[in-house]
Amino acid sequence: MILSVWAGCRHSNGGIENDITTDEGNINAEFFLQGDTVTMFWKVREVPGRNTLVIQEGVLGGTISTYELYEQDRTVLKRKAVDLAAEKSREGYRIFGPEAYSQIIIQIDTLYWGDVTDLNKLAYVEDVISEGLSLSGNGKCTGSDISHKISLYAVVFDADIAVRTILKTLRDSNLDFPVVIAVENAGDITVVYPENYHGEFSLI
């Protein structure tokens, strides 16, 4: 479900400002434009205390660009963010609600992991996956845990693209663990990698 459809009129800017502002008062939002073959994205994030906006845009899972905007006056900075968001809205970009996102679960057997007490390693792998997803415009890692398996969790907009990104990111970082990746939607968990997986998958 689309949360907001904004007109490009002056009256709508107040609504846009609310939608791109967090409860803490900082600018942070992501917009998507779904096409027949690709999805475009545009993200804006305020760096707290620096009067700077970080803007990322491009093809989801593909070519992206990142740039920064600085203003000495934060009021001017926020106005620029609202104007940019309004422009993207006029182009057809939208903010989607949480039901449009999927949770990805990446599991690694402790047999291939090594020392399960090494929490630094867990944090590193989590950061690697999160950075790969973020740089592709498609979500972030949200946590991890160690039990009978190593489990890492991410929230993504496009699960198919995210799986490809995660596998490439691990490979490029020389983290060649045999992984099992599942997607959770509305409480249903489906293993999507490897294909034709016949093993057991459990979060317990």
Side-chain angles (χ1 to χ4, degrees):
M1 180 181 71
I2 298 174
L3 288 185
S4 304
V5 178
W6 299 319
C9 61
R10 182 182 180 90
H11 176 72
S12 68
N13 279 6
I16 292 177
E17 181 172 357
N18 291 335
D19 283 333
I20 68 174
T21 303
T22 67
D23 292 340
E24 293 74 27
N26 297 315
I27 299 295
N28 194 337
E30 54 187 22
F31 293 66
F32 298 95
L33 176 61
Q34 295 178 304
D36 293 334
T37 58
V38 298
T39 296
M40 307 296 294
F41 75 94
W42 183 84
K43 297 184 179 184
V44 59
R45 175 177 60 86
E46 181 180 359
V47 182
R50 285 181 48 193
N51 286 4
T52 299
L53 298 176
V54 177
I55 297 169
Q56 185 185 28
E57 60 184 330
V59 178
L60 197 70
T63 304
I64 67 170
S65 62
T66 303
Y67 60 96
E68 295 184 359
L69 291 178
Y70 170 80
E71 287 290 342
Q72 187 172 358
D73 187 334
R74 186 170 179 268
T75 300
V76 175
L77 185 75
K78 292 188 69 173
R79 187 162 62 244
K80 280 192 173 183
V82 170
D83 290 344
L84 288 170
E87 180 181 348
K88 286 299 173 183
S89 175
R90 289 191 291 271
E91 293 174 8
Y93 285 72
R94 300 288 179 257
I95 290 177
F96 286 78
E99 64 279 2
Y101 292 75
S102 299
Q103 175 163 272
I104 296 280
I105 305 132
I106 308 107
Q107 283 196 343
I108 304 163
D109 196 303
T110 54
L111 176 67
Y112 307 106
W113 180 263
D115 183 3
V116 296
T117 66
D118 187 351
L119 298 183
N120 289 330
K121 181 178 182 179
L122 185 63
Y124 172 71
V125 176
E126 184 179 332
D127 287 345
V128 165
I129 292 174
S130 194
E131 182 177 9
L133 290 171
S134 177
L135 290 176
S136 72
N138 194 23
K140 62 181 179 179
C141 207
T142 56
S144 58
D145 63 59
I146 298 177
S147 56
H148 70 294
K149 298 284 179 73
I150 309 300
S151 296
L152 301 109
Y153 307 94
V155 173
V156 303
F157 186 74
D158 187 305
D160 291 337
I161 291 175
V163 170
R164 295 195 296 269
T165 298
I166 290 166
L167 293 172
K168 183 179 186 302
T169 298
L170 292 174
R171 186 170 58 249
D172 291 349
S173 302
N174 296 317
L175 297 169
D176 295 326
F177 306 113
V179 299
V180 177
I181 303 177
V183 177
E184 180 179 3
N185 269 319
D188 294 326
I189 297 177
T190 305
V191 174
V192 295
Y193 181 88
E195 293 184 11
N196 303 316
Y197 178 74
H198 296 297
E200 294 184 0
F201 189 93
S202 173
L203 298 180
I204 300 175

